[in-house]
Amino acid sequence: MNVQEALKRHFGHDTFRTGQENIIIDLIAGNDTIALLPTGGGKSLCYQLPAYILEGTVLIISPLLSLMEDQIQQIRMRGEKRVIGLNGALSYMERQKALLNLNQYKYIFASPEILQSEAVASALRNINLSLFVVDEAHCISQWGHDFRTDYSKLGELRGKLGQAPCIALTATATPEVLKDIESSLQMKNAKMHIQSVNRSNIAIMIEECHSLENKMKRVSELVKKLKGPGIIYCSSRKWTENLEQFLKMEGVHDTACYHAGMEQEQRTLIQQQFVYDQLEVVCCTNAFGMGVNKGNVRYVIHFHFPAQMESYVQEIGRAGRDGLPSVAISLIGSGDMEIPLALLESEFSTYEQLHQTLYLLSAGTEAEEAFERTGVNEFQGRFILHHLEKLSYPLPGNEQQSLNVIWGKIEDRRKFKKRKLNAVMKWLLSKECRRQGILKYFEEKNLQTQEICCDRCGLDLLQYEEREEKHTHLQLLEWKAELKAIFGQSE
């Protein structure tokens, strides 16, 4: 079966999207591959289709449960039942049963953390892996915009599992991060498929608001005027809740908030309601987005701006995945840059916390208890343990050397993230075209120009607005059609 036949038979498509076919051909030929495709560019097909041509099982490492479950659901809706997710959603007995029968599956999804389990790794060694897939591969880089320590161990794990051809997929990565991905995954002569991060159908606008009250009123105005559905990104869980309540008070009732502090069932419900157009707008943290397979998001509003350009590009990329005109609006206030700076600092343990943690660990205290006693959070703890494991000298007896090395890593990471934040601030204040600034950041050589672009190039929001009478008329048609369907009436 060739790739065109597989595309038609298993996915019902006649043609590939830009770049997909060449990526798939390289994988089938056994080549390690790095693919940077813009959000909505069809990354999942690049590993799902080869599964039907290659013998064996495809292992997909995915960073988020919601993203994993969305991909699994899509595969099952296509009629493919040989798919499973190794994650916290499985009970102990379900996981044990799955590990005993892994060779029955065509697709296995797993988080990087669960792959550190020897039981899981052992079960995977006993099956024939045809592909080793790393989704959201920017997470593998120590300089990537969502650093996950267990991602950096995947290269070693891949070697233990038989060195199957590897594909690393991402939507946002600088050349520096792409090199880090290739090295960390121990790729050999990787084939590079790098597309532009530009999403030409998404217009970009930055608006300055002189007060918090002004910013909240502007959010309400935009949500009421703009064609929906839409997503509003906030910097904290509390602000997602505040905005949800504010919009409901303003008469926008089809709205909900979403953040990582909510119960998983509630998050799943909100995500599904949004996907199936039962919600018009979601106020959320960056925990929302990956795994939301929704093509008709018409706008993304940043109530707070992210601390890195990579995050911004990925978040606005949730709009217009159907290719239709969409808009990304960021509302900037006078004190807004203090928020990402404070969040940045909170990512790292203090020198005193690190010193106390290493002392407790050297005394035999369990890591979880040591972190709780010193106030080190989960992310900070993973960072400490990650670099502690890489040291050639053990605790106890080398606390001071370990302290010096790990504190140096923390300082390097802090400086790097501050440079990222400064790049964002420079872009926000620049007078040049917003899109050109983004493309320069990602070091794209062929800078693109287009008619509908950004506020610097003269953007009119009217084309993204929806007249109230049109909206009302649409609702009228919808309920009449629904009544006819219920009672079996025809035109």
Side-chain angles (χ1 to χ4, degrees):
M1 187 192 314
N2 64 32
V3 294
Q4 289 287 348
E5 290 174 348
L7 180 69
K8 183 65 176 178
R9 179 184 299 181
H10 296 287
F11 299 89
H13 303 316
D14 294 315
T15 58
F16 288 99
R17 294 186 190 178
T18 303
Q20 286 179 326
E21 186 173 9
N22 290 333
I23 293 169
I24 291 167
I25 289 172
D26 270 337
L27 281 176
I28 293 172
N31 295 309
D32 290 340
T33 304
I34 294 178
L36 190 158
L37 284 74
T39 304
K43 291 186 286 294
S44 60
L45 183 81
C46 295
Y47 64 80
Q48 289 183 19
L49 187 147
Y52 293 110
I53 298 176
L54 300 170
E55 292 292 329
T57 300
V58 176
L59 173 65
I60 307 103
I61 295 93
S62 185
L64 284 179
L65 178 61
S66 60
L67 179 60
M68 203 182 297
E69 291 299 326
D70 179 72
Q71 294 291 345
I72 291 171
Q73 184 180 5
Q74 288 184 53
I75 291 172
R76 286 175 176 161
M77 287 174 65
R78 204 175 64 235
E80 176 59 74
K81 305 302 181 185
R82 295 171 297 170
V83 56
I84 192 169
L86 299 178
N87 54 51
L90 293 179
S91 68
Y92 174 79
M93 293 304 297
E94 287 172 331
R95 184 187 299 183
Q96 294 303 109
K97 182 180 178 181
L99 293 181
L100 291 172
N101 298 281
L102 283 187
N103 60 349
Q104 297 181 9
Y105 297 100
K106 178 60 73 173
Y107 303 99
I108 299 173
F109 287 81
S111 69
E113 287 78 17
I114 204 168
L115 291 175
Q116 302 310 310
S117 162
E118 179 53 37
V120 174
S122 177
L124 288 170
R125 283 195 291 270
N126 292 325
I127 66 173
N128 174 29
L129 288 182
S130 59
L131 281 180
F132 188 94
V133 182
V134 182
D135 202 6
E136 305 296 335
H138 50 265
C139 298
I140 205 170
S141 170
Q142 63 173 319
W143 304 122
H145 67 275
D146 192 17
F147 178 60
R148 296 268 289 270
T149 54
D150 286 314
Y151 260 87
S152 64
K153 302 173 185 176
L154 294 179
E156 181 182 350
L157 174 70
R158 180 189 168 212
K160 293 177 180 178
L161 297 182
Q163 210 70 20
C166 177
I167 179 169
L169 296 158
T170 181
T172 53
T174 61
E176 180 183 19
V177 169
L178 291 174
K179 290 178 184 177
D180 206 8
I181 290 170
E182 183 177 14
S183 172
S184 186
L185 282 173
Q186 303 175 13
M187 290 182 162
K188 297 178 180 178
N189 303 315
K191 300 292 184 180
M192 307 292 284
H193 296 266
I194 311 302
Q195 294 187 23
S196 174
V197 300
N198 183 42
R199 290 284 304 281
S200 58
N201 63 314
I202 302 176
I204 302 169
M205 174 170 278
I206 311 295
E207 284 192 23
E208 189 173 344
C209 299
H210 300 293
S211 68
L212 182 58
E213 182 182 8
N214 177 245
K215 184 190 278 195
M216 294 182 71
K217 286 183 178 179
R218 183 58 178 151
V219 167
S220 177
E221 291 173 1
L222 289 169
V223 170
K224 290 175 180 177
K225 286 183 179 180
L226 293 173
K227 299 174 185 177
I231 300 172
I232 304 174
Y233 281 106
C234 306
S235 63
S236 70
R237 300 173 181 182
K238 187 63 178 175
W239 264 112
T240 66
E241 297 168 358
N242 289 343
L243 273 185
E244 177 198 12
Q245 293 304 314
F246 174 73
L247 288 175
K248 285 181 175 178
M249 287 172 60
E250 291 283 299
V252 184
H253 297 294
D254 296 333
T255 184
C257 70
Y258 182 108
H259 57 71
M262 301 168 66
E263 293 292 332
Q264 180 60 48
E265 292 80 4
Q266 182 67 10
R267 281 185 285 162
T268 300
L269 174 62
I270 291 169
Q271 185 169 303
Q272 292 302 308
Q273 286 177 326
F274 186 63
V275 166
Y276 293 107
D277 294 322
Q278 295 168 349
L279 286 172
E280 186 71 10
V281 60
V282 175
C283 307
C284 57
T285 60
N286 60 7
F288 186 80
M290 285 192 285
V292 179
N293 185 29
K294 185 173 176 65
N296 68 334
V297 176
R298 294 275 70 90
Y299 66 86
V300 170
I301 296 173
H302 277 94
F303 190 78
H304 297 118
F305 205 88
Q308 300 188 43
M309 190 65 75
E310 290 91 339
S311 300
Y312 173 72
V313 170
Q314 191 159 49
E315 286 163 15
I316 68 171
R318 274 90 197 228
R321 292 180 60 161
D322 55 9
L324 297 178
S326 306
V327 64
I329 302 172
S330 299
L331 303 177
I332 305 299
S334 57
D336 278 2
M337 286 303 106
E338 299 301 322
I339 296 172
L341 186 60
L343 291 173
L344 185 156
E345 290 295 341
S346 71
E347 290 185 20
F348 307 103
S349 57
T350 65
Y351 185 88
E352 185 60 31
Q353 283 178 315
L354 177 61
H355 183 272
Q356 292 177 359
T357 297
L358 293 180
Y359 174 79
L360 289 171
L361 292 175
S362 68
T365 306
E366 291 292 329
E368 188 174 345
E369 182 184 347
F371 297 151
E372 184 176 351
R373 288 171 63 178
T374 58
V376 168
N377 64 34
E378 182 184 359
F379 179 87
Q380 296 165 349
R382 287 204 308 265
F383 190 91
I384 293 170
L385 291 179
H386 171 70
H387 288 290
L388 198 58
E389 289 171 4
K390 295 173 70 174
L391 297 178
S392 58
Y393 37 82
L395 294 176
N398 294 291
E399 292 85 0
Q400 189 59 48
Q401 296 97 316
S402 301
L403 177 65
N404 293 339
V405 171
I406 298 175
W407 183 249
K409 297 293 183 183
I410 289 174
E411 286 289 272
D412 288 345
R413 181 83 175 145
R414 181 186 282 111
K415 290 174 184 176
F416 175 80
K417 298 204 79 171
K418 283 185 177 179
R419 289 200 300 272
K420 291 280 191 181
L421 178 56
N422 287 337
V424 167
M425 294 180 68
K426 182 179 178 181
W427 177 75
L428 288 171
L429 297 173
S430 172
K431 299 300 182 184
E432 73 171 342
C433 165
R434 308 286 188 190
R435 197 177 306 273
Q436 297 282 16
I438 292 173
L439 298 179
K440 285 180 182 178
Y441 177 87
F442 287 98
E443 300 181 34
E444 292 197 17
K445 305 300 181 183
N446 300 317
L447 303 182
Q448 305 169 38
T449 58
Q450 56 192 70
E451 183 179 349
I452 299 174
C453 187
C454 67
D455 56 298
R456 294 292 192 222
C457 298
L459 180 65
D460 186 356
L461 277 182
L462 282 175
Q463 63 182 303
Y464 303 99
E465 294 180 1
E466 186 172 47
R467 293 285 184 268
E468 185 177 351
E469 59 269 24
K470 177 183 175 183
H471 183 65
T472 303
H473 180 58
L474 179 63
Q475 286 184 325
L476 185 67
L477 291 177
E478 283 176 345
W479 73 257
K480 285 186 175 180
E482 189 169 346
L483 278 177
K484 287 181 178 180
I486 290 172
F487 291 107
Q489 300 175 357
S490 57
E491 295 291 342

